Amino acid sequence: MSDPLIDRNTAPERAPQAGAFSAFLRRDFYSGWRLVILLVAVLVIAPMSVVFFSWLDPATEIWKHLAETLLAELLVNTFWLVIGVTTGTVLLGVSLAWLTAVCDFPGRKVFSWALLLPLAVPTYVLAFVSLGLFDFAGPVQTRLRAWFGSSAWFPDMRSTAGVVAVMTLALYPYVYLLTRNAFLTQGKRMLEAAESLGCSPWRAFFKVVLPMARPWIAGGALLVIMEALADFGAVSIFNYDTFTTAIYKAWFGFFSLPAAAQLSSLLVLIVFAIIAFEQWLRSRMRFTAARLSPTGERVQLGRTARWLACAYALAVLSVAFIVPLLQLLVWTLKVFHREFDSRYLQLLTHSLTLGLSAALLVSITALVLAYANRRHGDRLTRGLVRTANLGYALPGTVLAVGIFIPVAALDNTLISLAHKLFGLEIGMLLQGTIFIMLLAYLVRFMAAGFKPIDGAMHRVTPSIDEAARLLGLRGLKLLARIHLPMLRGGVLTAATLVFVDVMKEMPITLMTRPFGWDTFAVKIFELTSEGEWERAALPALTLLLSGLVPIILLMRHTEK
């Protein structure tokens, strides 16, 4: 019996035909499912096209100024940030993943999930807490000066090493999570096999175990690079100029949208060059998945090594999560009576409104995309779906610029038409509205919503549809009574991930928000720009607690 949810004329097993795109336009352009995919893909392509077409009118004066003052510094800073953070996260993530996945030491079960908790801390929160603690005027250096008379030997936090250290501690869980899954599949069997062939334990680790986990390490490192390139909050707090801060300054400092767009195009080129390089490396490798190794098979460390492993894991967890959390609590208790007022409730309302609205919008759109991908599994549809998910690779500053420019042009056109045709004087209709913010969130976080729903969609097999149809369920009844209950977990996960991402998101919100529409992230940016660490603690603590929700969801799917 045929499956009505699979379009047999465009089933994936059919070879792609010549002129597929023109056929798509002729036959299926107005097909509801594919039209949605096409519209979302256009939404992603449009900002990228805008920033590249901005070179048709180069901002010569601004570029001359940048070339004389900032451009070399931007390139050098971005280079060292990417190299430093990638190296640091790989060292921390791989070592911790190996210890918790394969070795046995006191506290291993707790550390296996607790080491993911730094994911809940936005990089800009960890940045201002670190400066508040370890900067010259902070309590650590103040205490050191009281004990030793000087703290000149203490490392300067407002340096390249400082920002690299902070972002390493915030981002290492990406490498840790993926690499740990790889080590869990290997267990200690590979280590024992190499040792039986004469390798020492260290040689076996570097010659056999580590190369076999390389795709997962590379995947985690790629996520870290994307986050480092896209980061705006942490580098702003450190006054560390990178492309994202330069884009912001070009727009709000020089008031030059073309210069901001042209800087954005360079950042997009760097991002896609890195993605292409990673894909090229991955294409040269061949790996197969394996089942999880039996959990009882672990490497038994010596007495000293066991406690050293425990101390190492505890030290990383303390610096990356426990100490920042305690410091935020201390600051919050100091200012709670002043900061918890109607202004805080307004920020909470704005943040929740944006988070919930974006979660609803992205979840519905992602559900439609996943359904359309299931109905039309041809190469063109899959390509459009992949394009629709590319927005996650675009930094928020790039999206803000790429969306604002066409919206401003559309607004100006509407104002001109209203004046010419009807003699009406109208204001801006789209600029500075929540609609534009939600549009940017939709593009930026579509991948975060699509992946969980698409994963759940694979569990709805054709045989389930056939059985439901035999029972008389078709169309919307089939969707409402069979599919949606089976997809509920994926949809809730998607909505949760998007909600938390939007709550923490800073550059898009900062650059496109309506006047007066501040959120927790914007408030933290404003307060930390003035060095008001304590006043920023309450909104930061709220964001941190909300960020724990997806971590708890993630833990439910990892080894306990």
Side-chain angles (χ1 to χ4, degrees):
M1 188 174 291
S2 65
D3 178 9
L5 292 178
I6 304 295
D7 185 347
R8 296 298 183 190
N9 293 326
T10 56
E13 60 270 19
R14 287 174 61 90
Q17 299 176 357
F21 188 71
S22 58
F24 169 77
L25 290 178
R26 286 196 306 273
R27 291 184 292 108
D28 300 315
F29 183 80
Y30 293 105
S31 167
W33 298 109
R34 277 180 161 171
L35 184 59
V36 173
I37 300 179
L38 183 63
L39 288 175
V40 179
V42 168
L43 281 178
V44 175
I45 294 172
M48 287 190 284
S49 304
V50 166
V51 297
F52 283 111
F53 278 112
S54 66
W55 284 103
L56 295 176
D57 181 22
T60 311
E61 291 299 320
I62 301 293
W63 273 104
K64 184 179 177 183
H65 174 73
L66 289 175
E68 292 174 350
T69 56
L70 280 177
L71 192 58
E73 184 184 354
L74 291 182
L75 293 170
V76 171
N77 284 356
T78 303
F79 174 80
W80 285 118
L81 184 71
V82 170
I83 295 296
V85 175
T86 305
T87 305
T89 52
V90 167
L91 288 175
L92 278 185
V94 172
S95 58
L96 291 169
W98 173 254
L99 288 172
T100 58
V102 180
C103 301
D104 194 22
F105 62 92
R108 184 196 62 80
K109 287 185 178 179
V110 173
F111 286 121
S112 65
W113 59 263
L115 286 167
L116 288 173
L117 292 176
L119 272 180
V121 186
T123 53
Y124 51 85
V125 171
L126 189 59
F128 86 75
V129 172
S130 300
L131 281 181
L133 279 173
F134 299 109
D135 206 10
F136 182 81
V140 173
Q141 291 207 50
T142 302
R143 180 63 62 183
L144 289 175
R145 285 194 294 275
W147 286 345
F148 304 107
S150 172
S151 63
W153 49 271
F154 196 85
D156 181 14
M157 281 300 294
R158 295 179 183 271
S159 63
T160 301
V163 69
V164 166
V166 166
M167 293 189 66
T168 296
L169 290 170
L171 300 177
Y172 83 82
Y174 288 105
V175 179
Y176 167 77
L177 180 63
L178 295 181
T179 309
R180 185 167 181 272
N181 286 334
F183 288 151
L184 282 173
T185 62
Q186 294 182 20
K188 69 173 186 178
R189 289 172 301 184
M190 296 301 165
L191 195 65
E192 290 175 340
E195 288 178 350
S196 68
L197 296 174
C199 290
S200 66
W202 283 105
R203 184 177 173 82
F205 177 78
F206 285 106
K207 291 292 183 181
V208 177
V209 175
L210 208 53
M212 291 190 66
R214 193 166 54 181
W216 291 267
I217 298 172
L222 179 65
L223 288 174
V224 168
I225 292 172
M226 296 296 104
E227 292 289 338
L229 286 172
D231 183 81
F232 172 77
V235 292
S236 296
I237 290 170
F238 275 85
N239 288 324
Y240 188 80
D241 285 328
T242 62
F243 272 96
T244 53
T245 57
I247 292 167
Y248 181 80
K249 289 177 180 176
W251 186 351
F252 293 95
F254 297 120
F255 303 103
S256 174
L257 266 174
Q262 288 150 23
L263 281 167
S264 300
S265 68
L266 296 182
L267 185 55
V268 172
L269 283 178
I270 294 174
V271 168
F272 282 105
I274 292 172
I275 292 175
F277 180 67
E278 192 271 342
Q279 292 292 323
W280 177 75
L281 283 180
R282 191 181 290 265
S283 67
R284 295 166 60 86
M285 304 174 189
R286 291 293 182 271
F287 294 86
T288 56
R291 292 181 179 178
L292 291 180
S293 175
T295 54
E297 297 180 2
R298 299 192 184 280
V299 174
Q300 298 299 319
L301 301 175
R303 178 177 297 181
T304 304
R306 285 163 54 86
W307 288 107
L308 284 177
C310 178
Y312 173 52
L314 181 60
V316 174
L317 181 63
S318 298
V319 178
F321 184 77
I322 296 174
V323 172
L325 175 62
L326 292 177
Q327 185 59 62
L328 285 176
L329 284 171
V330 170
W331 282 339
T332 299
L333 290 176
K334 281 185 179 178
V335 300
F336 186 80
H337 64 286
R338 285 187 284 116
E339 297 298 323
F340 188 77
D341 53 11
S342 59
R343 177 66 177 157
Y344 172 85
L345 296 177
Q346 186 183 51
L347 294 173
L348 178 64
T349 303
H350 290 170
S351 299
L352 289 177
T353 302
L354 284 176
L356 292 173
S357 302
L360 183 64
L361 176 65
V362 173
S363 298
I364 292 174
T365 309
L367 182 62
V368 174
L369 252 63
Y371 232 86
N373 195 37
R374 188 168 187 261
R375 285 178 61 92
H376 306 282
D378 58 289
R379 178 175 294 183
L380 182 60
T381 303
R382 293 199 303 272
L384 288 174
V385 169
R386 278 197 291 271
T387 303
N389 284 284
L390 276 179
Y392 204 72
L394 298 177
T397 48
V398 174
L399 273 177
V401 172
I403 288 178
F404 187 86
I405 289 176
V407 167
L410 180 60
D411 254 349
N412 291 333
T413 303
L414 292 175
I415 291 172
S416 176
L417 286 176
H419 180 70
K420 288 180 180 177
L421 298 178
F422 306 107
L424 297 176
E425 297 292 341
I426 61 173
M428 299 293 181
L429 298 177
L430 297 173
Q431 290 181 58
T433 62
I434 296 177
F435 171 75
I436 299 304
M437 299 173 73
L438 293 178
L439 201 63
Y441 293 148
L442 176 67
V443 176
R444 178 79 171 90
F445 300 117
M446 177 53 65
F450 177 78
K451 297 296 182 186
I453 294 175
D454 189 53
M457 186 71 75
H458 286 298
R459 297 177 185 171
V460 185
T461 62
S463 60
I464 293 177
D465 293 336
E466 292 178 359
R469 203 167 53 254
L470 287 173
L471 295 174
L473 295 177
R474 296 175 184 277
L476 291 178
K477 285 185 178 178
L478 178 67
L479 177 67
R481 299 181 61 179
I482 303 296
H483 291 169
L484 284 183
M486 293 185 69
L487 298 175
R488 185 173 52 193
V491 173
L492 286 176
T493 302
T496 304
L497 292 176
V498 174
F499 171 77
V500 174
D501 274 341
V502 171
M503 287 278 288
K504 296 189 296 185
E505 208 288 329
M506 180 181 282
I508 292 176
T509 311
L510 186 66
M511 298 166 80
T512 63
R513 73 190 192 283
F515 179 76
W517 189 275
D518 290 345
T519 64
F520 285 135
V522 172
K523 190 64 178 175
I524 291 171
F525 175 80
E526 292 175 350
L527 291 173
T528 53
S529 299
E530 301 167 358
E532 297 274 5
W533 316 128
E534 292 186 356
R535 292 186 61 200
L538 181 56
L541 186 63
T542 308
L543 288 183
L544 190 154
L545 294 177
S546 69
L548 288 177
V549 175
I551 304 300
I552 294 171
L553 288 176
L554 190 61
M555 289 171 185
R556 294 174 58 183
H557 297 283
T558 58
E559 184 209 34
K560 305 295 190 292

